[in-house]
Amino acid sequence: MRTYRIEVTPPDISPYSAGNTTIPYVLSWDSGVAGPHVLVNALTHGNEICGAIALHRLIADGVRPVRGKLTCCFANVAAYRSFDRAHPNASRYVDEDFNRLWNEATLSGPRRSVELARARALRPLYETADLLLDIHSMQYATAPLMLIGLARKTEDFARRVGVPALLVRDEGHAAGPRLRDFGAFAAPEAGPVALLVECGQHWESAAVDVAVETSWRFLAASGVLPADRSARILAAAVPPQRLITVTDVVTIETDDFRFTADYRGLEVIAAAGTLLARDGGREIRTPYDDCVLIMPSRRLGRGQTAVRLGRYAGLGVAESTVRPSTTLRSAQDEELS
Ligand SMILES: [Zn+2]
């Protein structure tokens, strides 16, 4: 297994422990002028440091809204505080994945964990957000991605933000809903918008640049900054965005899941039927030509997402060339997982 150099320094976030709301590690400023509640969220996963650095810099820069309300939230602080350079993967979470808890049954259920306690404390905050940016990073160093869910409103806003260059329409994980899929964020039409940015490899300095740029452009697009400043920020040239639609989520069913190659993500597999992985006796093959692999995981545990499969929009491949049987079967697999 390849190891990555740790190029980033986790910032000291202890000055934010009291915050300025009733919730620790949450800072919020209300302009007093009508406008959206814009929330930038870091550390959904404790070892994804670029988001903490981006928030730290926003706060240090003295960012304040001139319309609406701006909130900076450090989410899974308990996991982040356990970050150890010798074991950087160990601090993703303490008890369970903070980003798989976001439905009513789990949040209001009887279970207890470090992450559930924090999720329950932060829930009222997220429920009042009109625009949420959730900053993440990835296990492998591949191009940054914006995960936009399925709603048109979210794609529209991601295009106003303008970065990163790859937008991924996806449904989420069988193991549990993400924060970006919580409640009204997932509603297809009107209502709040949540974006999840994957900035690059967890500990590469380039991921910090992406997190900072995405945060500022997100704030500019949201309308909480002065109009001339927003216009300046959004005028910076960026490459055109391309859309990948996730068609299949490969969820691990056995304790013996193996990829057939050392996939890193964003590989385009030319031929339909190419063997990607074996999960016990099950063979996982590409369902169509030019299939894109999205974020293959190193954490190959039963019930977890191993990889997502998708297609670039606008490749000249008609939607109808995806065999209906494949779509149906994968939809069913996902429900059973
Ligand atoms: Zn993450």
Side-chain angles (χ1 to χ4, degrees):
M1 183 183 288
R2 181 169 166 187
T3 51
Y4 284 91
R5 220 155 55 83
I6 298 181
E7 301 172 349
V8 295
T9 303
D12 175 15
I13 63 167
S14 59
Y16 313 127
S17 61
N20 66 358
T21 72
T22 54
I23 312 171
Y25 294 98
V26 173
L27 290 100
S28 197
W29 304 277
D30 196 330
S31 67
V33 178
H37 178 197
V38 177
L39 200 161
V40 185
N41 194 66
L43 299 177
T44 287
H45 294 126
N47 62 345
E48 299 180 1
I49 290 162
C50 64
I53 297 173
L55 270 196
H56 185 60
R57 291 198 192 162
L58 282 183
I59 297 165
D61 282 351
V63 64
R64 294 289 185 279
V66 296
R67 288 177 56 233
K69 180 175 162 181
L70 173 63
T71 298
C72 294
C73 173
F74 299 89
N76 196 346
V77 175
Y80 176 68
R81 291 176 72 159
S82 74
F83 183 81
D84 175 353
R85 296 179 85 89
H87 305 281
N89 278 310
S91 53
R92 181 176 169 86
Y93 53 77
V94 178
D95 291 331
E96 62 181 322
D97 192 329
F98 181 88
N99 213 26
R100 302 289 182 272
L101 307 175
W102 295 93
N103 59 21
E104 193 57 48
T106 306
L107 291 169
S108 300
R111 256 183 351 92
R112 286 164 182 240
S113 69
V114 165
E115 278 75 18
L116 265 169
R118 183 67 172 155
R120 286 165 182 151
L122 292 174
R123 174 185 179 163
L125 189 73
Y126 297 138
E127 281 177 332
T128 60
D130 298 300
L131 295 163
L132 168 75
L133 177 65
D134 192 16
I135 305 174
H136 289 248
S137 53
M138 299 183 276
Q139 295 168 16
Y140 292 113
T142 57
L145 309 168
M146 188 73 94
L147 305 186
I148 61 173
L150 301 176
R152 182 75 215 189
K153 63 183 179 182
T154 315
E155 183 184 338
D156 290 345
F157 195 77
R159 289 189 182 280
R160 284 176 60 192
V161 175
V163 295
L166 287 175
L167 306 179
V168 178
R169 293 186 75 235
D170 77 317
E171 222 173 334
H173 304 282
R178 300 166 299 191
L179 174 59
R180 82 140 311 282
D181 306 314
F182 177 47
F185 292 132
E189 301 300 336
V193 163
L195 296 175
L196 190 170
V197 64
E198 298 280 2
C199 297
Q201 207 282 331
H202 294 322
W203 310 299
E204 64 175 346
S205 56
V208 174
D209 300 337
V210 174
V212 169
E213 181 190 26
T214 307
S215 299
W216 278 111
R217 292 187 65 107
F218 182 84
L219 295 184
S222 74
V224 293
L225 300 179
D228 55 338
R229 188 172 188 193
S230 293
R232 262 200 318 276
I233 290 169
L234 294 174
V238 290
Q241 288 173 308
R242 298 181 71 193
L243 179 68
I244 302 172
T245 298
V246 170
T247 57
D248 298 68
V249 177
V250 177
T251 303
I252 299 168
E253 295 175 359
T254 75
D255 295 324
D256 185 25
F257 185 101
R258 276 176 239 189
F259 285 109
T260 54
D262 183 20
Y263 295 119
R264 298 299 168 96
L266 297 178
E267 291 91 348
V268 179
I269 310 293
T274 303
L275 184 64
L276 293 178
R278 287 192 177 83
D279 188 12
R282 180 170 71 124
E283 289 189 338
I284 291 135
R285 293 178 180 275
T286 51
Y288 39 79
D289 291 347
D290 298 322
C291 177
V292 188
L293 309 189
I294 316 284
M295 294 174 72
S297 181
R298 293 177 170 194
R299 293 170 179 262
L300 300 174
R302 195 192 287 225
Q304 303 300 310
T305 300
V307 63
R308 287 160 272 200
L309 310 179
R311 287 178 303 162
Y312 279 103
L315 275 186
V317 182
E319 297 284 324
S320 59
T321 57
V322 179
R323 291 155 299 158
S325 59
T326 306
T327 311
L328 287 173
R329 194 174 61 240
S330 33
Q332 200 177 36
D333 283 348
E334 208 178 324
E335 276 170 27
L336 293 172
S337 306

